[in-house]
Amino acid sequence: MNVWRSWVPGLAVAIVMVALVQADAAHLKEHARKHKIVYQLDDAGLDKAKFVLGNMRNHVAGVGGWQNVEALELVVFGPALKGFAKDGIDPALKQSLEQLQKQGLTFGVCGNTMKNYSITADQLPEKSLILPQGGVVRLMELQEAGYIYIRP
């Protein structure tokens, strides 16, 4: 009987671990379709911008990686856009943005905000998608196209 007592707890732990792995795999299998996601950022501040980009990285990881993401876009307008102008962008924020862009992120910037803050295309990060129709119109268009809308 002492032999049974020594390995029964180990067996119980193994069974629980297998169940957890299967549950995690089931989550990924259940959501294995390609996701289309748009995030909104209009609040000013470095902490907020870093937070949103961190959410986006976590989101991609949470759905099983970029292979499960059809499209991911960040639409920036209002006071938040000033924090992405090249002359004042935080180096860590710039690096995080560029890394996400290399992986597939579209960085959309509001044309109306650019005019209001006198920000030119040359002042924006590379590969910025200028939205002449405006950021809020872009959000509407993407939602109509089936994108999931997130405003952290």
Side-chain angles (χ1 to χ4, degrees), residues 129-148:
L129 174 64
I130 298 172
L131 308 169
Q133 77 275 34
V136 294
V137 172
R138 179 67 172 178
L139 290 171
M140 177 195 69
E141 292 170 345
L142 293 176
Q143 288 180 73
E144 289 176 344
Y147 279 64
I148 301 301

Side-chain angles (χ1 to χ4, degrees), residues 7-28:
W7 67 270
V8 167
L11 179 61
V13 168
I15 290 171
V16 169
M17 294 300 288
V18 168
L20 288 174
V21 168
Q22 289 176 340
D24 188 42
H27 162 75
L28 292 177

Side-chain angles (χ1 to χ4, degrees), residues 39-53 74-84 93 107 113 117 139 149-152:
Y39 276 73
Q40 173 182 328
L41 176 60
D42 60 342
D43 296 328
L46 177 60
D47 289 341
K48 181 67 175 194
K50 286 182 176 180
F51 173 76
V52 170
L53 293 180
L74 174 61
V75 176
V76 180
F77 56 92
L81 187 57
K82 291 190 290 185
F84 287 93
L93 179 64
F107 181 70
T113 299
Y117 289 111
L139 290 171
Y149 165 77
I150 298 178
R151 183 174 190 250

